[in-house]
Amino acid sequence: MSLPQEGSLNTSADSTRLQALIEGSHRLSSVTATICGIAERPRPPKAWYIAFTISVALTGVLLLVVAYLFWEGVGVWGVGIPVAWGWAITNFVWWIGIGHAGTLISAILFLCRQRWRNSVNRFAEAMTIFAVMCAGIFPAIHVGRPWVEYWLAPYPNQMSLWPQFRSPLLWDAFAVSTYFTVSLMFWYVGMVPDLASLRDRARGRVRQILYGILALGWRGSNRHWHVYERAYLLLAGLATPLVLSVHSVVSFDFAVANVRGWHSTIFPPYFVAGAIFSGLAMVLTLLVPARQFFGLKDFVTPRHLDAVAKLLLATGLIVGFAYAIELFHGWYCGDPYEGFVFLYRARGDYAWAYWVMTICNVVVPQVFWIKWCRTNPWALFAVGVLVNVGMWFERFVIVVASLSADYLPSSWGYYSPTWVDILTFAGTLGFFFACFLLFCRYLPMLAMAEIKPLLPEERQVAGNASAAVPFPYPIPQGEGKTGETPLVWILPSSLPRADGGAGVPAAREAGATSKPVIAGLLAEFATPQALLKAAAAVRDAGFTKWDVHSPFVVHGADKAMGMRPTRLAWFVFAAGVTGAVTGLALQWYTNAFDYPYLVSGKPYLSIPACIPVVFELTILFSALAAVLGMLGLNKLPQLYHALFKRPRFRRASDDRFFVSLEAADPKFDQSKAEMLLRAQGALAVETVED
Amino acid sequence: MPPLNKIGPSSHRAIEPSGEVTATAGCYIARSPDHPITQSPDLPITPAFRRFVAQRFPAQLPLLDNPTTRRRFCQLMGASLALAGLNGCDWPFWPGKKLVPEVKRPEGRSPGVPVYYATAFELGGAAEGLLVKSCEGRPIKVEGNPQHPVNQGGSSAFAQALILELYDPGRSQGLIRRRNGQESGATWDEFAVFLKDLRARIGNGKGLHILSEASSSLSVRGMRACLLMALPESTMKALPEAKWHEYEPLSRDNEREGTRLIFGRPCRPVYHLEKADTIVSLDEDLLGAHPSAITHTRDFAARRNADGKMNRLIVYESAWTITGAMADSRTGKKPSEMEAFVRSAALREALAGREHSLVAAGPRLSAQAHALVHLLNSELGNRGKAVTYVADLDPKRPGHGEAMSELTSAMEKDEVDTLLILGGNPVYDAPADLEFVQKLKKVPNSIHLSLYDDETSRACTWHLPRAHTLESWGDSRAWDGTISLQQPLVEPLYGGKTPAEVLAWVLDEPLFRGYEIAQRVFKEATQPPRSDEAWKKALHEGVVAESFSPWPQAGEQSTPPERSQLSPPAAPGLELLFVPDYRVYDGRFANNGWLQEMPDPITKLTWDNAAQISPETARAQGVGHGDMVKIELEGRALEIAVFVVPGIADGTVILPLGYGRRFGGQVADGVGFNTYVLRTTKALYTASGARMTRTGATYRFATAQDHKIVSAVASSAAAARTPELARSASLSTFKANPNFAQEMIEHPPPGQRSLFSPPHEYTGNRWGMAIDLSRCTGCSVCTVACQAENNVPVVGKDEVARGRRMQWLRVDRYFHSPHPLSGGERGTTALLFQPVPCMHCEKAPCEEVCPVGATSHSNEGLNDMAYNRCVGTRYCSNNCPYKVRRFNWFNNHLKTSEAEKLMFNPDVTVRSRGVMEKCTYCVQRIVQARIAAKLAKQDIKDGDIVPACAQACPARAIVFGDLNDPKSRVAEWAASPRAYGLLEQLNTRPRTRYLARVWNDASGLASTTDVPPVRAEHGRDAHAAGGGTGA
């Protein structure tokens, strides 16, 4: 989705500049065919099988070591006192950091109108989801008694005990779960139109049903696009502060504590920058091989890689600056304990880790000042991997080096991991890649509906002639009804069926004798321009129950259809207020009213400590309202619709544009309406029966 | 055993199987009426009956053919369960006896209310008096007997660990007979048969040798007299030809010999440290390894009051001892130099003219040196004041080394037919040159009475289980001669016998039990005989008042040994010094996990011993910390790991004894290195001419401190930080500026101490603790006492190495280098000890980070831990600047044996896996005091609550009480100008306060250049300047 640009319709002057975003002579249909083709291939490349086998094996290892950990206790790791958090928390922060690039690309770059994001956002969002899943594993398994972890949830219980809302860990639980929920919704909502494409092209029954369910009955209707775009924009607006907040809250785990080396006010921005830095590095690590293996070079062009590299360089500079500021602060603050921590990092027992971190994170990204490095896939891949290593060590240095030598020298101690630590981490890498490979195999890797508008206007024409990328089904040009495969996947059995084609259960044939009901008319157009023209004509003719359908959002369609703005934003606002009030009331009720207990000599209710949870609940409620509101206003999921019965309509998610008139419209007169549509240059007009 | 009101053992009453059992606890099977239609199996099921059933009970018809029904199954299961329960009534510790509930409550006993019994514990021939807490018949905690003159409430770590030893599942659980490489269990009856044969064979005892460990017990001595002498009044059949030997690997024979040289007969010097202004210790660990160390520590600490008349301790020693660590002036000297120093005139001249002094020489010095020191004390007028003498109990016995030599030569000459070894472990700890184990093989019958089936037991033909101290009737004498009675807390768990009882068996008086022996000896040992009342009183109090006998000072015979007669010059090479270990003593406590895990006060090493050398020696020898080395001495070799400790005399290798056990038990075996292999009769304590070579291997220590943090930047930071953590100053600095400790660090000004207004006020009791670093000797008894009180698990070496020890109270040890009074002289090092329990911060950093509120503040200001709410994030530990929180990384009690479970304090939760724990200020004792006060309708008085650490502390360095009560001791201490809070600049507001240590730099005997560690400008402009926290 791109922001509505008034009157631009991709014909603005920058179309030449945009051209570099998609290479090759792609038309709408070839975009669909290329991207859907990956998921439709009967067999993925051999490399996929090898990678997937390794990943699944490592996932199995993860399950085994976690089982062992649960059986024996966290003592199987190398942690002890003083380093009570070791690799687990290092890995948690690392993974959650990686999970930041997706939402950054999806949301922040979306708001910043960075159109190059459209080729990488799906990919990065998927990475986010899987990385956050991996991140979530660690806090869940690192506690001493994982079976009572649900005590972190504020649920009414017999013990009358509530969580302690001043703890950053609780904020973390709220932040990470909100982030995961919102990212997942964002990813899924963005994927719905592309799932519709997969559904429409699907051949096997299983695929038809699964993609059909996942696509929620998306028809590319402009009335849907309208609410959908607003919801997406709101989600982006909500996810932007969220992505900044999550790593800020993660940094509070450290910044709120009084361990020297943790207790620092620069942690929130420093962590966010570092998170985005590491996330972009992971994007490079995955994108470079993926575009190679899956033939996506036309869509993920050097220009994209260059943009990611520049962003990486920028965030890397922020991270380097933060390192320098930490050192400066250690020297300037005059606190010998603070100063010692940084001296210790650089010259103490963990100096090796510190220098790995500094070289990988500060020195290595500087190669991106050279253009060749920004566009050469192997250089990008190498830097991506090194930055990932460096960022892991950054978290290691923060977590372990600070703890190992804090205040009392008598308690200092060196930490070293055990084989269980190492296998657990390796296991999450396996899980991550296994998820990612499944994503590559079965879901649209790139956002087709967002790439298509980036095609130059002249190529946004239905590519019927393109023999190289044929639509998987023969589309009859006339009124022919034979040889169709039903497009309606899940039918209420009570509905009388018009056609009893192959695959429809015999039970339905009972109703086949009844007379078909004319539900409306469907007109097909070749270009968005033709669609807009037709829409304006239908609007002027005074129709009210009608719609236009397009494979991507056609700007100007709202105006052409004479639609009024959606009320979705008001729902979201109300939900946000509810979330904020809920958050505050929850904390007041649980910690100050129902069961107050004295903690660190603090007041029972103190607003500053309430802010993180209030914030997270505000975002969570709003985002849920945006998504549920969008679905509600669009009356989705709606798995049956009369239009789906038209084979022609399958191309609404590929390269064709449609106007549909409903018979229920008071102005509906079949012959007149057909005349009107044909007059607008419709390629075909056909009746839709219910 | 006669019933004794309040003073008898508190075991469950066990009755003989023949006795009348009035009721068994729930162990009966209720007969349930049979199923209505289930017939007796011998009645045939007639068709008529089948019809009847079909009519009246159609649903039950199938049961006729298949009688195994659900109900029948349930009946059988119920019966099985009930039988299983019945089985549980057989008390495993008294096989063959039945345990019955106390249908009638014994007088003076309430369930749930612990009972305390006074008893005594003997170590190396000197006793300390104990008060043992017993809950429902289970002894669970040892405390010092407040009425005992030695203990006065304090105790040693060994005494604290007795409980674990009692329940140790590794203890020997029965008699073992070993013949021709065969090993078989045996019974006391079989042993009696053996004894009968023996007596028949040896007649008057010829060929019977008895090797006993040192014992001051009147009972043992009484039985010994019966055995060796045909006493006119005794009816027992004596064995006058039998030979008695006494051997103790760590003895004070040189001291004893020194008194003989001076006074003509051996006696024991008794030190009264409270009477001495200047104390000079010559390699004498007055506060640590001395049999009367508890007394010394208390008396010494009482005079460490910087506000009053402070004593001054000057120590010359080769190894680091905790006495040296407490010294105002400590000089490291090689063992050979030590002798020379004692003989030189320097000491005498330096002390000349000083009143109220005391010179004490250590057991490793020669007898001549001791004689000189005794003389010196006389000359200085200390005799009768700071040092008095009591008669030696056994003036005629030869030295321990000699006794062992005599025995082994008799064994060599095949004169020994039967060797009865009462306690001790000579196969392990006899001097290596005597080759005891080889010679033991020539003895046809050897009998070893021991707690463990150890090295000696395995080389003997008989092993007899010994009754544990807490299972024994008996008596013993403290170092000063005070008699203490010993009474059992339980019946012997494994049928063990005391040495006196075994002697009774040898005398063919097997029914003469420990109780009768102790009682008879007690009553008859004095003229006129003591009454029953006196016995009961002594038993109740655990101590016989005025029972020590000061040796009349008249008979002084002073032929001083030749001052010029120097000890033989040390051979070139390294000098070795064998020292007792603070944890396993001579090895006898090696199977005690609490002691093994107690960090050594000096090295902080756990689960190991090591060859301790100074950094200079390490450099000279080309070895490093953790290197394995081979130490060779006169053809004997020992491979041992090197532990580098600054402050040890250069050129000296300190070899702690007691490790490297082969058959010490599951816990002891393979821990550390057996240093006895280098110890010979010639060199029992010191040796010279040793060579050290690296083997190339390295060794992994599990230290409780400085674990693997080796970088230079960390070491220098630690050194820089030490002065402000364990604060100290010289007496003159303190007098010039009493507030030195508070001014050492900038802390938040009072007005700016809380962001929250009003801050939380504690209006009721406000519990707090204060620890006086001037008093604390670092002996670590508090650590073990806390472990015993609070069911703290033992985790083992590997876990300690991972930083997972569980002790709630640790004692931090810091090197203060250079010594604060040394004037910066290189090589002089002082030690600072700092016990660190939970600080119970009023603004506890641990609490705010716990996501589930498992740790929060009580309204009395305790930082409470709700174990069963804890999820185990360990965030609290990270956020605790004091690192006092301990985490259960595993289920540490999974391997706790059934016997050890009896040891748990029922008032303290046994923590499971995955939860955090830490010092609670012994909240269970607070609650008990509160309940008692409530019942008495009183307020809790100061001193009503004594946490386990404070109770055990012989130095009385820990006080606990209500900070809101200005008259309480803790409030007084907290108001002391020396009081400070650890890391107070973090604004945690610790409730545990420390009183800074003050060194006495009064002139004399050592340089007194003072290094004032104080910021001069503090208090005037530092607050105004604001900002950072410099030191």
Side-chain angles (χ1 to χ4, degrees), chain B residues 820-1012:
Chain B
L821 306 183
S822 71
E825 191 186 327
R826 191 185 148 275
T828 58
T829 307
L831 282 185
L832 289 162
F833 294 113
Q834 186 169 40
V836 185
C838 177
M839 297 290 139
H840 291 270
C841 312
E842 287 188 2
K843 298 194 171 301
C846 50
E847 292 171 1
E848 65 184 83
V849 296
C850 177
V852 290
T855 182
S856 64
H857 244 61
S858 79
N859 58 357
E860 294 176 343
L862 297 185
N863 168 236
D864 287 341
M865 186 68 219
Y867 304 123
N868 51 1
R869 177 66 176 168
C870 179
V871 175
T873 69
R874 311 188 289 287
Y875 198 177
C876 51
S877 168
N878 288 344
N879 212 27
C880 173
Y882 311 101
K883 291 287 173 282
V884 296
R885 293 184 151 254
R886 301 279 173 258
F887 189 68
N888 289 278
W889 300 95
F890 297 106
N891 189 345
N892 286 313
H893 288 294
L894 212 56
K895 288 183 193 144
T896 304
S897 64
E898 288 302 314
E900 285 169 297
K901 283 177 187 167
L902 297 173
M903 160 182 88
F904 288 144
N905 184 351
D907 295 326
V908 178
T909 314
V910 175
R911 283 80 56 188
S912 184
R913 168 194 147 187
V915 301
M916 194 60 81
E917 59 184 69
K918 55 150 205 105
C919 159
T920 61
Y921 273 170
C922 283
V923 67
Q924 67 278 9
R925 296 191 177 205
I926 297 176
V927 172
Q928 277 154 5
R930 190 189 296 134
I931 292 168
K934 219 169 213 173
L935 288 174
K937 296 198 167 67
Q938 287 171 343
D939 289 337
I940 302 173
K941 291 193 296 292
D942 190 37
D944 279 0
I945 305 167
V946 186
C949 53
Q951 188 166 37
C953 180
R956 293 171 180 168
I958 304 174
V959 297
F960 180 85
D962 183 3
L963 287 167
N964 272 354
D965 171 9
K967 292 198 286 290
S968 71
R969 288 225 300 149
V970 70
E972 277 172 26
W973 281 29
S976 152
R978 286 192 290 139
Y980 71 96
L982 191 59
L983 296 174
E984 209 168 7
Q985 65 269 38
L986 300 177
N987 201 18
T988 51
R989 302 226 207 157
R991 280 275 174 91
T992 304
R993 312 290 293 176
Y994 290 97
L995 269 60
R997 178 160 170 184
V998 173
W999 311 81
N1000 191 345
D1001 58 342
S1003 59
L1005 289 175
S1007 58
T1008 57
T1009 321
D1010 190 11
V1011 189

Side-chain angles (χ1 to χ4, degrees), chain B residues 77 90 239 283 382 390 398 446 612 690 743 783 788 970 1008:
Chain B
M77 285 303 290
D90 195 2
L239 301 168
D283 201 25
N382 299 336
V390 296
S446 46
Q612 301 168 20
E743 295 176 3
T783 301
V970 70
T1008 57

Side-chain angles (χ1 to χ4, degrees), chain A residues 143-426:
Chain A
V143 299
R145 303 201 295 165
W147 54 92
V148 292
E149 213 154 23
Y150 63 92
W151 286 350
L152 265 76
Y155 72 104
N157 58 59
Q158 287 184 325
M159 293 182 282
S160 301
L161 272 172
W162 297 104
Q164 204 273 102
F165 277 99
R166 300 165 196 86
S167 168
L169 283 187
L170 206 63
W171 307 343
D172 225 18
F174 275 81
V176 174
S177 54
T178 300
Y179 183 61
F180 180 70
T181 313
V182 173
S183 298
L184 190 64
M185 291 193 301
F186 202 36
W187 181 57
Y188 179 62
V189 165
M191 207 155 49
V192 165
D194 294 346
L195 288 167
S197 297
L198 278 171
R199 173 200 65 196
D200 292 345
R201 292 166 56 91
R203 297 191 115 155
R205 192 72 186 158
V206 175
R207 280 180 166 253
Q208 284 176 344
I209 289 174
L210 286 178
Y211 287 128
I213 292 169
L214 286 173
L216 304 176
W218 182 261
R219 317 190 280 283
S221 145
N222 189 56
R223 293 185 196 277
H224 287 181
W225 279 121
H226 174 70
V227 184
Y228 177 90
E229 278 222 291
R230 178 50 55 99
Y232 200 84
L233 177 65
L234 285 167
L235 273 181
L238 292 166
T240 298
L242 183 65
V243 74
L244 299 179
S245 86
V246 174
H247 231 57
S248 297
V249 170
V250 169
S251 83
F252 289 163
D253 287 347
F254 305 102
V256 168
N258 67 16
V259 177
R260 288 295 195 262
W262 287 10
H263 187 68
S264 169
T265 46
I266 70 160
F267 261 32
Y270 158 34
F271 265 53
V272 171
I276 292 167
F277 181 55
S278 67
L280 290 169
M282 190 56 110
V283 167
L284 281 181
T285 313
L286 297 177
L287 196 59
V288 170
R291 76 191 265 276
Q292 196 86 22
F293 282 118
F294 293 107
L296 296 173
K297 285 184 182 169
D298 286 349
F299 304 110
V300 183
T301 65
R303 171 141 180 239
H304 292 98
L305 300 177
D306 178 71
V308 175
K310 280 176 180 161
L311 211 49
L312 191 82
L313 177 60
T315 46
L317 287 173
I318 300 176
V319 167
F321 176 72
Y323 293 170
I325 284 291
E326 277 195 316
L327 292 177
F328 170 77
H329 182 253
W331 166 73
Y332 187 70
C333 69
D335 178 348
Y337 291 79
E338 183 80 24
F340 165 70
V341 165
F342 294 100
L343 208 58
Y344 182 69
R345 284 185 186 175
R347 292 178 47 206
D349 301 278
Y350 291 98
W352 58 276
Y354 181 81
W355 291 108
V356 168
M357 160 192 117
T358 309
I359 289 166
C360 288
N361 294 346
V362 182
V363 180
V364 168
Q366 303 310 317
V367 300
F368 284 156
W369 291 107
I370 303 160
K371 179 152 187 177
W372 181 84
C373 295
R374 292 201 302 272
T375 48
N376 178 290
W378 296 112
L380 288 159
F381 181 74
V383 171
V385 170
L386 284 176
V387 169
N388 279 323
V389 170
M391 286 308 290
W392 190 89
F393 273 101
E394 181 198 295
R395 278 57 178 259
F396 178 81
V397 166
I398 290 172
V399 173
V400 172
S402 310
L403 283 174
S404 77
D406 63 347
Y407 290 98
L408 300 186
S410 63
S411 300
W412 291 355
Y414 191 85
Y415 163 89
S416 37
T418 62
W419 61 270
V420 186
D421 279 296
I422 295 163
L423 288 183
T424 312
F425 180 51

Side-chain angles (χ1 to χ4, degrees), chain B residues 662-951:
Chain B
R662 287 179 61 228
F663 303 111
Q666 222 182 353
V667 175
D669 291 349
V671 173
F673 307 94
N674 183 0
T675 49
Y676 281 109
V677 299
L678 289 185
R679 200 170 181 234
T680 58
T681 31
K682 264 199 304 181
L684 275 177
Y685 300 107
T686 63
S688 57
R691 289 198 312 127
M692 177 186 275
T693 43
R694 270 180 68 176
T695 66
T698 53
Y699 190 77
R700 195 176 67 116
F701 292 121
T703 46
Q705 252 181 270
D706 320 322
H707 182 62
K708 288 212 275 184
I709 293 289
V710 291
S711 57
V713 57
S715 314
S716 61
R721 225 171 259 193
T722 298
E724 67 170 65
L725 299 176
R727 299 181 193 176
S728 67
S730 67
L731 187 57
S732 51
T733 310
F734 172 70
K735 281 184 175 153
N737 179 11
N739 293 324
F740 78 94
Q742 288 159 19
E743 295 176 3
M744 223 169 221
I745 270 286
E746 289 203 27
H747 43 80
Q752 293 176 17
R753 298 187 85 189
S754 177
L755 279 174
F756 308 112
S757 63
H760 190 89
E761 295 289 339
Y762 297 91
T763 48
N765 296 122
R766 193 167 151 254
W767 305 121
M769 185 180 272
I771 302 174
D772 190 344
L773 300 185
S774 279
R775 286 166 171 260
C776 173
T777 65
C779 71
S780 303
V781 60
C782 47
T783 301
V784 185
C786 173
Q787 190 151 19
E789 170 77 13
N790 291 303
N791 303 337
V792 174
V794 172
V795 294
K797 178 176 175 177
D798 289 345
E799 293 297 292
V800 172
R802 284 224 176 262
R804 294 175 183 169
R805 69 190 169 115
M806 298 302 290
Q807 289 136 355
W808 285 3
L809 172 62
R810 63 170 198 262
V811 182
D812 285 351
R813 176 270 289 132
Y814 294 108
F815 285 104
H816 197 309
S817 191
H819 192 292
L821 306 183
S822 71
E825 191 186 327
R826 191 185 148 275
T828 58
T829 307
L831 282 185
L832 289 162
F833 294 113
Q834 186 169 40
V836 185
C838 177
M839 297 290 139
H840 291 270
C841 312
E842 287 188 2
K843 298 194 171 301
C846 50
E847 292 171 1
E848 65 184 83
V849 296
C850 177
V852 290
T855 182
S856 64
H857 244 61
S858 79
N859 58 357
E860 294 176 343
L862 297 185
N863 168 236
D864 287 341
M865 186 68 219
Y867 304 123
N868 51 1
R869 177 66 176 168
C870 179
V871 175
T873 69
R874 311 188 289 287
Y875 198 177
C876 51
S877 168
N878 288 344
N879 212 27
C880 173
Y882 311 101
K883 291 287 173 282
V884 296
R885 293 184 151 254
R886 301 279 173 258
F887 189 68
N888 289 278
W889 300 95
F890 297 106
N891 189 345
N892 286 313
H893 288 294
L894 212 56
K895 288 183 193 144
T896 304
S897 64
E898 288 302 314
E900 285 169 297
K901 283 177 187 167
L902 297 173
M903 160 182 88
F904 288 144
N905 184 351
D907 295 326
V908 178
T909 314
V910 175
R911 283 80 56 188
S912 184
R913 168 194 147 187
V915 301
M916 194 60 81
E917 59 184 69
K918 55 150 205 105
C919 159
T920 61
Y921 273 170
C922 283
V923 67
Q924 67 278 9
R925 296 191 177 205
I926 297 176
V927 172
Q928 277 154 5
R930 190 189 296 134
I931 292 168
K934 219 169 213 173
L935 288 174
K937 296 198 167 67
Q938 287 171 343
D939 289 337
I940 302 173
K941 291 193 296 292
D942 190 37
D944 279 0
I945 305 167
V946 186
C949 53
Q951 188 166 37

Side-chain angles (χ1 to χ4, degrees), chain B residues 553-585:
Chain B
Q553 290 167 21
E556 180 171 344
Q557 176 257 14
S558 50
T559 43
E562 278 303 307
R563 200 172 292 280
S564 57
Q565 184 195 341
L566 289 166
S567 58
L574 291 168
E575 294 188 26
L576 306 183
L577 189 71
F578 298 97
V579 299
D581 190 82
Y582 284 122
R583 296 159 292 157
V584 302
Y585 189 62

Side-chain angles (χ1 to χ4, degrees), chain B residues 406-438:
Chain B
E406 278 172 27
L407 173 64
T408 44
S409 62
M411 285 154 78
E412 178 78 55
K413 286 182 239 155
D414 293 326
E415 287 170 5
V416 184
D417 170 74
T418 302
L419 177 64
L420 172 62
I421 306 170
L422 298 173
N425 189 4
V427 167
Y428 168 71
D429 60 24
D433 56 333
L434 297 180
E435 290 170 341
F436 184 84
V437 68
Q438 266 78 34

